[in-house]
Amino acid sequence: MGALLLLTLLLGAQQDETREYAIQRVSKDAYLNALRELDRAQELIASGDPRGAIEKITSVLGNSRIKYFECRLRIEVQPSIYEKYTFFPYQLRAKARLAAVKKLDAPAAKEPILREAIEDLKISVEKKVGGSADLLKDAEAQLKAVQAKIAEGDIKDPVTEIRPRFSPLVSTYKFRSAVNLVNGPDGQKLSAEDKKTLLQEVEDACRAYLDGKISNFRSNLAVSLSNIAGMKEGEFRSAFSMPAPDEITIKEPAFDWCRKHYNTLKTLQLGKAKPEEILAAAQEALALDASGDASAENPYFKSMAGFGFELCDNVIRARIEKAAKQRKDDRLQSEADAAKFQTIWKDFIAKLDKKIIERHQDLDTWTRDLESKVSDFPKELPGLASISIDDCFKEDPVPALDKVEGALRNLDHEVQTKGRCAIESKQALYTMLVTVSALKRLIYGDSEEDVVQEVMKYRSYLKDAGGPINPDQYGPRVRRVFDKLKS
């Protein structure tokens, strides 16, 4: 990667606006291989084989393992050790196409290649890659000059005659119409070789067009659920819209999947998504392994599975928060709702081949996370039911009340430090703590006001739990303590 790394260093100062992405070690091989391919393409351009360079770069752009293009990369080559690179395949393919144009004499042959170079450079300019704006101006000037020569009628052959109708179709992405033009009556004068050349131009242009659309879709897919939900309508269309299939002339499974699941993603943006549908889309994305590297993460699958996890996680977390203030029947319903969403996730995981799970390490993490959350629902305090204030009066009440108070304080410490507790248990616990403290101190002769100051620390907990249970049970003085806690 010497030449490309040198290019990185030379251009680094010009790329301040170009986005930078960190690539973790698990994904590094795909990017390092792509960088090597671009380095080789650079050598092919220099050695006079721009067509070979175009093929290599196009294969890089079609790699489903690569999410980010026209950007800076920080690649984790060793644990916590990163190396920086620039990654501009669109710009480099445009340079290869411009080099290919120089090897041609006929203006009619130059025009489609210049158009393809211009499309690549538009993507590169949009990504704010340094130097691409100047290259775009030069390519557009060359195209204008070529079109002027064609208009002069310098070359009177069948290809030149069909170009004025053929080229606008290709440049406006009407690839099927361009094929029909070549194969129809207007193409009867073309030789078999000319037809083959023009049809190859259509296929190359269609492939480049789809590569750009798919890579844009894939890049925008690698975000969190909140990013999708926060998109404005125009942003969403720009990120995920795909062309209609009518004018597409090549078979591309990723295109079919992206087009189908535009509406699936739309439900995420609108907040109407069902996790079953999102996870079904993830399952379908596994078919795209056939067109990529089946040994690494599948970016379409990973993103959709991640969205499905977030949907389940959001519901479970919401139900847990709600359950903190719910009584038993409602709390059990919330727990049942959460269990339903955990089951949706577990059913999804159960359908996956073990190799898929091994390739996507986040799946295990997400599964454990949901299991942990579901177990975090409020529970009734064990041991609270066995504590009796009434039994304290069967013997000397003061030491018995001391013992009960100590046991209740231990439970209070457990509530404060070890997680969630059912609201009924909290209500009973803090009612008993105030009662025991009041009884013991009133026996000692303390005033009701002194008792209130002593138990004031339980006031907010008791209020949040719904107030005391049967405050009259131990006489009017204890009742007045509870009344003063409320004021």
Side-chain angles (χ1 to χ4, degrees), residues 146-158:
V146 164
Q147 289 173 330
K149 285 189 177 182
I150 292 172
E152 290 172 6
D154 289 345
I155 303 172
K156 300 297 183 182
D157 63 31

Side-chain angles (χ1 to χ4, degrees), residues 408-468:
L408 292 171
R409 284 180 173 177
N410 287 337
L411 290 178
D412 176 38
H413 177 75
E414 187 175 327
V415 169
Q416 302 305 322
T417 59
K418 292 188 178 181
R420 301 176 185 273
C421 171
I423 195 167
E424 295 92 343
S425 290
K426 287 183 180 180
Q427 188 177 25
L429 171 64
Y430 293 112
T431 297
M432 291 174 74
L433 272 168
V434 171
T435 299
V436 167
S437 295
L439 287 171
K440 191 173 71 170
R441 284 157 182 77
L442 289 171
I443 289 172
Y444 282 139
D446 291 349
S447 67
E448 292 171 12
E449 287 72 18
D450 290 338
V451 173
V452 170
Q453 292 303 313
E454 177 65 27
V455 298
M456 187 63 71
K457 57 191 172 187
Y458 304 124
R459 176 183 182 179
S460 62
Y461 301 133
L462 188 58
K463 180 181 178 182
D464 291 343

Side-chain angles (χ1 to χ4, degrees), residues 312 315-320 331-344 370 373-374 377:
C312 293
V315 171
I316 291 171
R317 284 192 293 108
R319 295 298 187 275
I320 290 172
R331 187 170 65 249
L332 289 176
Q333 183 59 56
S334 290
E335 198 163 354
D337 291 345
K340 181 177 72 173
F341 281 85
Q342 187 197 20
T343 299
I344 290 170
L370 292 184
K373 282 190 174 69
V374 167
F377 269 86

Side-chain angles (χ1 to χ4, degrees), residues 110-112 114-115 118 138-148:
K110 292 182 177 184
E111 184 190 21
L114 283 169
R115 288 186 181 278
I118 287 170
D138 179 59
E140 289 173 336
Q142 289 187 54
L143 177 62
K144 188 174 181 180
V146 164
Q147 289 173 330

Side-chain angles (χ1 to χ4, degrees), residues 26-42:
V26 68
S27 303
K28 72 179 175 68
D29 289 344
Y31 286 90
L32 291 176
N33 288 335
L35 286 163
R36 278 189 281 270
E37 288 292 283
L38 295 192
D39 208 18
R40 176 60 181 146
Q42 186 89 13

Side-chain angles (χ1 to χ4, degrees), residues 3 91 96 98 113 121 155 177 203 206 226 254-255 262 265 281 294 310 318 402 408 420 440:
Q91 186 190 71
L98 293 174
I113 303 174
L121 288 169
I155 303 172
S177 297
E203 184 173 335
C206 186
S226 60
F255 166 65
Y262 175 89
L265 291 169
E310 286 193 74
D402 277 336
L408 292 171
R420 301 176 185 273
K440 191 173 71 170

